[in-house]
Amino acid sequence: MKAVVFHGLGDIRLDTVPEPVIEEPADAIVRITTAAICGTDLHFVRGTVPGMKPGKILGHEGVGVVEEVGSQVHNLTPGDRVVISAVLGCGSCSFCRDGHFAQCDNINPYGARSGTGSPGSPEQQGPFNGLQAEYARVPSAHTNLFRLPDSVSDAQAIPLADIYPTGYFGAVIADVSDGKVATVWGCGPVGQFAIRSAFERGASRVIAVDGHADRLDYAQAAGAEVINFNEVDPVAAIMDLTLGIGADCAIDAVGVDSESAKSGPASDQTRELDQVHRDELHTIAPETNEQDGQWKPGDAPSQAQSWAIESLAKMGSLGIVGVYPMSDRFFPIGTVLGRNLTVKAGNGNHPRYIPKLLSMVESGVVNPEEVLTQQEPLDDALAAYREFDLRSPGWLKVALEPQPA
């Protein structure tokens, strides 16, 4: 079968690899009909999140059709259309039973203290091959596969694999609730769903910050007040909009590949911090592999979280769902302490939220397909990766189609 395979930093290829087989009684084999490229995949390829093993299939977002199930899978049958959770859980340990699937004790064979189990991810998160392929093996299928109704298309379902539950989890851990003013830092795919989720959880205002005009247009269409950090100082703008109080809660949907301001008032601050940011990036990700403008990491790893914290009201809350590697040791803890801020972070507990979000999609409350801007055949995956890596206008979210549904 064809699959997008990681061979090294800046080196991904469309290879022919063996089809997966049932390895454990709770496995299922899924024929992938739609996969997607995530910004997290770019962290891996750029090297800002290390630990990818050469030979691993990339991708953690997938929709498909069940082809085969193991002897311990009793809630699915071949022919079922399903969305695959990007966060894997066993469904039986105490963490899963409490809804904390991202901290499952059993799914990751490398041990309970290993990373969140996820397909197509650095080796610490498990040996699971990814979903940018024609077929995939899904462990603990009874927990990690969710049957799709005929009324929900692949294009509507693919955001449910990761970016929608991640955005929703960001709103949960940021403590967004009725009447609060929320900021969302980063208007990429996760940020778009963080905006929608903040409103769904009752936020009276959502202020969205990014440096790309096309992404801000999508945010504004979703009801957010938008700030372009290449035009204004985002912290000063938020303080003006909130009468000097600041936001009640903030969601960091950017992660380690955060960008600095290239123009406008905030760029003065950027010039002052250039060496600091370079030192941070060298410490966090010393082996990045930029190639002719491709696979270029963000130039200000701690910028989004610093701005988010500076613009919070006293006693405010920050939820971090942007991805940072374990090598990152940079965080403005003094400001957090001085203002009695609450900070929560983590990988989303997707199996906990997918049923709720799927119900909202099925009932027409939200149409996640509006965030999906590109649909490409798997054969064109490498070109799609390059456009997405460049943050090209109009390339907000990319779906890949290995096989027709």
Side-chain angles (χ1 to χ4, degrees):
M1 70 172 184
K2 293 180 180 179
V4 179
V5 179
F6 179 90
H7 285 266
L9 298 186
D11 183 3
I12 56 174
R13 307 174 197 173
L14 186 65
D15 289 344
T16 298
V17 299
E19 292 183 7
V21 297
I22 296 288
E23 298 177 14
E24 301 290 342
D27 286 352
I29 302 300
V30 177
R31 175 171 60 86
I32 304 295
T33 55
T34 300
I37 302 174
C38 182
T40 304
D41 298 323
L42 293 178
H43 296 327
F44 306 154
V45 179
R46 292 169 181 158
T48 43
V49 174
M52 280 294 288
K53 185 176 180 180
K56 179 171 280 189
I57 298 170
L58 281 163
H60 52 266
E61 299 170 286
V63 173
V65 178
V66 174
E67 292 285 299
E68 183 182 0
V69 297
S71 61
Q72 290 184 3
V73 179
H74 302 294
N75 59 340
L76 298 161
T77 58
D80 286 341
R81 286 182 64 238
V82 292
V83 59
I84 304 167
S85 173
V87 170
L88 303 174
C90 73
S92 297
C93 71
S94 60
F95 285 100
C96 286
R97 292 186 188 200
D98 283 341
H100 304 302
F101 294 89
Q103 297 302 318
C104 176
D105 272 340
N106 298 321
I107 195 72
N108 191 333
Y110 298 147
R113 299 287 289 180
S114 300
T116 299
S118 183
S121 297
E123 196 66 10
Q124 185 176 14
Q125 293 180 246
F128 314 110
N129 267 316
L131 309 180
Q132 292 167 11
E134 293 181 287
Y135 294 89
R137 179 181 76 91
V138 181
S140 295
H142 56 280
T143 296
N144 301 311
L145 295 181
F146 296 85
R147 189 183 292 106
L148 293 169
D150 292 340
S151 60
V152 174
S153 67
D154 275 26
Q156 291 174 309
I158 191 66
L160 292 166
D162 183 32
I163 56 174
Y164 195 174
T166 295
Y168 189 85
F169 181 68
V172 170
I173 63 175
D175 195 29
V176 181
S177 57
D178 290 350
K180 289 188 176 182
V181 177
T183 56
V184 174
W185 297 84
C187 295
V190 170
Q192 296 295 333
F193 284 105
I195 292 165
R196 288 156 176 79
S197 298
F199 280 125
E200 289 161 12
R201 290 181 59 82
S204 62
R205 299 171 71 184
V206 178
I207 302 170
V209 185
D210 202 291
H212 295 270
D214 61 319
R215 297 184 175 193
L216 290 168
D217 288 343
Y218 277 93
Q220 191 173 59
E225 303 166 58
V226 298
I227 293 173
N228 188 328
F229 64 69
N230 285 312
E231 296 177 356
V232 299
D233 182 323
V235 175
I238 289 166
M239 298 309 289
D240 285 344
L241 288 171
T242 59
L243 304 180
I245 297 169
D248 300 300
C249 30
I251 303 169
D252 173 0
V254 183
V256 66
D257 278 311
S258 181
E259 297 179 289
S260 63
K262 303 302 186 293
S263 59
S267 64
D268 294 336
Q269 180 190 56
T270 294
R271 282 189 288 273
E272 294 173 5
L273 292 174
D274 270 350
Q275 188 58 51
V276 173
H277 288 151
R278 281 195 291 270
D279 290 345
E280 287 181 5
L281 183 60
H282 178 73
T283 301
I284 293 167
E287 297 181 1
T288 55
N289 188 12
E290 181 183 348
Q291 303 167 20
D292 299 323
Q294 295 284 173
W295 321 124
K296 182 178 180 180
D299 61 353
S302 62
Q303 184 68 86
Q305 61 188 215
S306 296
W307 278 338
I309 286 169
E310 287 293 341
S311 58
L312 275 171
K314 293 182 290 186
M315 302 293 294
S317 300
L318 171 64
I320 302 173
V321 290
V323 175
Y324 294 88
M326 290 186 177
S327 53
D328 190 345
R329 293 293 185 267
F330 298 90
F331 189 76
I333 190 64
T335 305
V336 171
L337 179 69
R339 294 186 184 151
N340 283 43
L341 304 180
T342 298
V343 179
K344 294 182 180 180
N347 296 310
N349 298 307
H350 294 7
R352 178 175 183 170
Y353 300 117
I354 288 174
K356 169 188 173 70
L357 302 179
L358 175 57
S359 178
M360 294 170 61
V361 172
E362 185 179 14
S363 64
V365 172
V366 62
N367 180 18
E369 185 178 0
E370 63 194 10
V371 172
L372 191 65
T373 55
Q374 307 290 332
Q375 292 180 273
E376 306 292 330
L378 184 65
D379 286 347
D380 293 340
L382 302 190
Y385 256 97
R386 294 188 179 97
E387 289 295 333
F388 192 47
D389 170 64
L390 293 172
R391 304 172 180 86
S392 298
W395 287 74
L396 178 62
K397 184 63 179 177
V398 185
L400 301 172
E401 297 178 345
Q403 304 180 48

